[in-house]
Amino acid sequence: MRQSHFFVQTLREVPAEAEVPSHRLMLRAGMIRQVVSGVYSYLPLGYRVLRKIEAIVREEMDRAGAQEVLLPAVQPASLWQESGRWDDYGKELLRFEDRHQRMLVLGPTHEEVITDLVRTEVRSYRQLPMTLYQIQTKFRDEVRPRFGVMRAREFIMKDAYSFDVDEEGLDRSYRAMYQAYEQIFRRCGLEFRVVQADPGAIGGEGGSHEFMVLSEVGEDTILVCPACDYAANVELASGKVAGEDGRRSVSEKERFLTPGAKTIEELRDRYGLDPETIIKVLVYRADDRPVAVAIRGNDEVNEVKLKRLLGARRVELADEETVRALTGTGFGSVGPMNLNMPLVVDDAVASMPEGVAGGNEPDVHYRHVVPGRDFNWDSRGDIRTARAGDRCVRCGAPLEEYRGIEVGHVFKLGTKYSEALSASFLDERGVQRPVIMGCYGIGVSRLIAAAVEQHHDDKGIMWPMPIAPFHVHVLPVNLKDAAQRDAAEQLCTRLEDAGIEVLLDDRDERPGVKFNDADLMGIPIQLIVGKRISEGLVEMKRRKTGEVTLLSPDEAVRAAVEAVRSV
Ligand code: ATP
Ligand code: MG
């Protein structure tokens, strides 16, 4: 491909709207352009990378025995009403009306459509197991689209769905996808961790793992044990903290005044109280019913865990007016004693020997408050957000915290959708049973951004070979020099004949401009044809390491072919 005719426009200025390196570099290298918030066009350079990733995904899905289909982006509202998600999915679901006043949605995911397909096509256990996948455009009306294609509203996803006759079958299908995912992300050159995950809006009770590309700009926090294989999204991670049930203080509780202290920080600064010894009580609304939640002063409530413990669909903090009406006091002096609503305590609170707690009257606290003696609870569980330094629940080693970009997610759905939509099959004995499902997603377009986050420097992108838009960038330094031009052309022909993808910078630009653009675009191998071609030498530069070697054109072709084939 000749760069003079290649549809790419690099930008020298850093686009002001781009907050993270991948977004900046993808814009600057001319890979993508925004059409409207969270909606992008892929230009040839960007689309070539997208197709490379798609090809790897297809190969591994096919190898795992999945079959490719293509489902529509437009879906009838009726299917979403049947599954119950018409009400549950919220504003991310883009709904619209056709000319016959029938409601439709632009699919954010395809459990409904695929279950509908399977309920009409699959009748017998003989047709199972089966895993179907597609690579397709999804639409989610994200509250905060950002970071370019990382969190877009329209994006490309690979989604797969498995259908089995029993749990053991689901385990096998799930493992096959899990392993295919590891292979895909490895082949894309990514450093990733697999973590236990919350099933979220897709639902299902079985199990769920996320594939996280490690990166500072990741929106997810993950906790990883350096000593064993425990790793989990902070949404559900647990960590052990000091304190064991049973060691109770014998001091009587004692009232004291705390005027002017409404927050844990103020209690610490004005009254010298250690946040770890404070029993903080927050009032929540769980599906509109009030519930008090007790947590240590240095901890945060994990609302995902709280929701699960309460079996609630929604939890949100109550406002101060509600708190006052329920407890007789405002924020800051709410406590666990004598409450007229259910109390949920975190395990770390339940096992405190004693603590300082609000007295449910303005400016009053109590010290030597003993959980189980001075107050009781309706339920307890792990509802705090785990953090670095907590002990691993499996082996006790201190957990480490990382940021991750979620590039893949696998779920065991069980019968959630097959029951809601009545997708069943006849088993060997002629009994009708619901199909057991799993679902498996990869953010194909998000993967591009994740790869750039892990592979860039201050000059630009450094593509891993398997997903690079081209393998080799040939750069004649001075096009007016016939020897350089001819040698560059010949190199291209020979490389292309060997099946190598080459971009030839045949633009009449200053060398500095060409070198900068080449570093920005990040093609893994640069072959620079300059003055020394008169001695039969070209320079081969590896973009990733910056390593430069002087080679004959023959050697350069051989080395490039080898570098491409060895991945
Ligand atoms: P997130 O928590 O990042 O919103 P999710 O849990 O909603 O992701 P899934 O429903 O599991 O995502 O979708 C499967 C995959 O699709 C995700 O692992 C992610 O890689 C990708 N994905 C989800 N939302 C977006 C988005 N807005 N833009 C780009 N990719 C996305
Ligand atoms: Mg989401």
Side-chain angles (χ1 to χ4, degrees):
M1 172 59 69
R2 289 168 180 276
Q3 207 166 330
S4 58
H5 288 89
F6 189 55
F7 180 41
V8 67
Q9 194 66 50
T10 56
L11 308 175
R12 242 160 281 302
E13 269 86 67
V14 178
E17 76 275 21
E19 302 165 66
V20 295
S22 59
H23 189 195
R24 284 197 285 272
L25 290 170
M26 288 179 74
L27 288 171
R28 285 190 53 216
M31 295 176 64
I32 52 166
R33 291 292 180 256
Q34 183 181 288
V35 178
V36 65
S37 168
V39 178
Y40 290 84
S41 297
Y42 289 84
L43 278 52
L45 193 71
Y47 192 47
R48 289 181 75 96
V49 177
L50 188 68
R51 277 181 17 218
K52 287 272 173 86
I53 297 174
E54 287 183 5
I56 292 174
V57 170
R58 279 201 175 87
E59 268 181 44
E60 297 301 332
M61 283 295 114
D62 293 346
R63 203 196 302 273
Q67 304 173 61
E68 189 167 6
V69 293
L70 182 58
L71 306 173
V74 173
Q75 311 179 3
S78 56
L79 283 178
W80 286 75
Q81 283 151 353
E82 249 185 284
S83 72
R85 285 206 289 187
W86 180 256
D87 295 322
D88 290 353
Y89 213 91
K91 289 191 168 173
E92 264 184 39
L93 183 62
L94 184 67
R95 304 156 208 242
F96 60 100
E97 201 179 72
D98 70 9
R99 62 168 78 196
H100 306 293
Q101 286 79 52
R102 278 189 291 250
M103 290 306 290
L104 299 166
V105 309
L106 265 190
T109 174
H110 280 69
E111 284 78 11
E112 281 79 1
V113 171
I114 200 117
T115 310
D116 177 46
L117 180 68
V118 164
R119 73 174 159 187
T120 52
E121 302 298 323
V122 171
R123 309 235 164 271
S124 152
Y125 71 94
R126 287 196 195 85
Q127 293 166 278
L128 300 171
M130 169 172 83
T131 298
L132 303 174
Y133 79 96
Q134 63 170 342
I135 297 178
Q136 194 250 11
T137 301
K138 299 280 186 267
F139 194 95
R140 294 183 181 181
D141 204 355
E142 300 275 355
V143 213
R144 251 189 339 146
R146 59 181 191 154
F147 300 171
V149 299
M150 190 105 78
R151 182 166 298 283
R153 294 197 298 162
E154 183 177 310
F155 59 98
I156 312 287
M157 197 200 286
K158 186 288 299 177
D159 44 329
Y161 306 87
S162 64
F163 303 90
D164 279 277
V165 298
D166 53 24
E167 290 292 333
E168 294 77 64
L170 172 60
D171 284 346
R172 269 193 299 277
S173 302
Y174 188 84
R175 205 156 32 217
M177 285 294 115
Y178 186 114
Q179 284 164 356
Y181 275 35
E182 289 184 311
Q183 193 57 16
I184 288 165
F185 301 129
R186 248 197 307 269
R187 285 183 63 188
C188 289
L190 297 167
E191 197 193 330
F192 64 96
R193 286 297 300 237
V194 191
V195 303
Q196 292 176 20
D198 176 56
I202 308 260
E205 283 304 314
S208 160
H209 290 91
E210 284 164 345
F211 292 74
M212 294 284 183
V213 165
L214 301 182
S215 159
E216 279 165 32
V217 310
E219 294 182 287
D220 285 275
T221 301
I222 62 177
L223 286 158
V224 175
C225 177
C228 71
D229 62 357
Y230 182 77
N233 192 312
V234 72
E235 288 177 351
L236 86 168
S238 16
K240 278 194 293 206
V241 292
E244 279 165 43
D245 291 289
R247 290 185 301 115
R248 298 296 187 208
S249 164
V250 291
S251 311
E252 282 308 305
K253 76 172 193 289
E254 176 189 318
R255 188 174 188 268
F256 67 109
L257 296 179
T258 49
K262 284 191 84 176
T263 64
I264 297 292
E265 290 70 36
E266 286 163 349
L267 284 170
R268 181 192 59 204
D269 297 345
R270 296 191 187 183
Y271 300 99
L273 297 168
D274 176 0
E276 201 177 309
T277 65
I278 299 176
I279 300 167
K280 173 169 75 177
V281 174
L282 302 165
V283 179
Y284 274 87
R285 296 187 148 282
D287 296 339
D288 290 330
R289 281 191 313 275
V291 55
V293 176
I295 193 109
R296 295 187 312 173
N298 60 334
D299 284 332
E300 299 293 331
V301 174
N302 180 322
E303 294 185 359
V304 176
K305 290 184 187 173
L306 179 64
K307 218 158 63 179
R308 186 160 330 123
L309 183 73
L310 295 172
R313 283 160 76 143
R314 211 161 284 139
V315 296
E316 59 180 339
L317 273 173
D319 57 29
E320 189 155 15
E321 213 174 304
T322 312
V323 171
R324 215 179 281 283
L326 287 164
T327 65
T329 187
F331 288 160
S333 40
V334 180
M337 294 168 289
N338 308 317
L339 285 167
N340 56 359
M341 67 188 121
L343 174 67
V344 178
V345 305
D346 179 55
D347 285 332
V349 167
S351 58
M352 279 163 89
E354 63 165 49
V356 171
N360 290 328
E361 50 178 313
D363 301 333
V364 171
H365 275 77
Y366 284 84
R367 57 171 69 91
H368 309 308
V369 174
V370 177
R373 180 191 73 183
D374 297 318
F375 66 92
N376 276 305
W377 45 84
D378 300 275
S379 60
R380 69 174 268 189
D382 170 20
I383 48 171
R384 64 185 278 280
T385 300
R387 56 174 178 261
D390 289 357
R391 303 272 155 190
C392 173
V393 284
R394 291 213 188 123
C395 77
L399 296 175
E400 292 172 358
E401 204 172 293
Y402 297 95
R403 306 289 292 174
I405 302 169
E406 181 196 322
V407 289
H409 199 167
V410 294
F411 303 86
K412 286 185 183 170
L413 291 172
T415 55
K416 175 174 162 141
Y417 293 91
S418 50
E419 275 179 8
L421 276 77
S422 316
S424 55
F425 66 97
L426 287 177
D427 71 11
E428 283 150 304
R429 294 181 315 255
V431 179
Q432 195 104 29
R433 284 169 31 197
V435 272
I436 317 272
M437 291 174 57
C439 77
Y440 317 91
I442 290 182
V444 176
S445 45
R446 180 181 283 183
L447 251 182
I448 308 176
V452 175
E453 287 300 337
Q454 279 194 346
H455 300 281
H456 74 272
D457 61 12
D458 52 359
K459 297 200 189 77
I461 305 171
M462 308 184 292
W463 292 112
M465 190 64 88
I467 61 171
F470 294 92
H471 301 128
V472 177
H473 206 163
V474 175
L475 304 160
V477 177
N478 179 4
L479 263 194
K480 299 202 172 73
D481 178 334
Q484 288 185 30
R485 201 178 54 227
D486 292 349
E489 297 272 3
Q490 272 176 31
L491 269 175
C492 288
T493 311
R494 294 178 57 190
L495 287 165
E496 280 171 351
D497 287 349
I500 307 292
E501 298 165 19
V502 190
L503 184 64
L504 168 65
D505 192 350
D506 61 340
R507 298 173 304 164
D508 189 12
E509 284 283 3
R510 283 179 289 113
V513 171
K514 291 187 177 186
F515 295 151
N516 285 343
D517 279 349
D519 282 350
L520 175 60
M521 288 157 76
I523 297 166
I525 296 175
Q526 299 175 8
L527 290 181
I528 301 152
V529 185
K531 281 202 194 97
R532 298 193 68 175
I533 194 64
S534 60
E535 305 160 45
L537 292 172
V538 299
E539 273 179 26
M540 180 163 107
K541 176 176 150 184
R542 307 265 182 174
R543 174 64 182 91
K544 178 124 208 167
T545 57
E547 175 201 353
V548 178
T549 32
L550 271 175
L551 301 169
S552 71
D554 276 352
E555 288 166 333
V557 170
R558 243 193 326 270
V561 169
E562 197 177 306
V564 174
R565 300 231 168 111
S566 68
V567 290

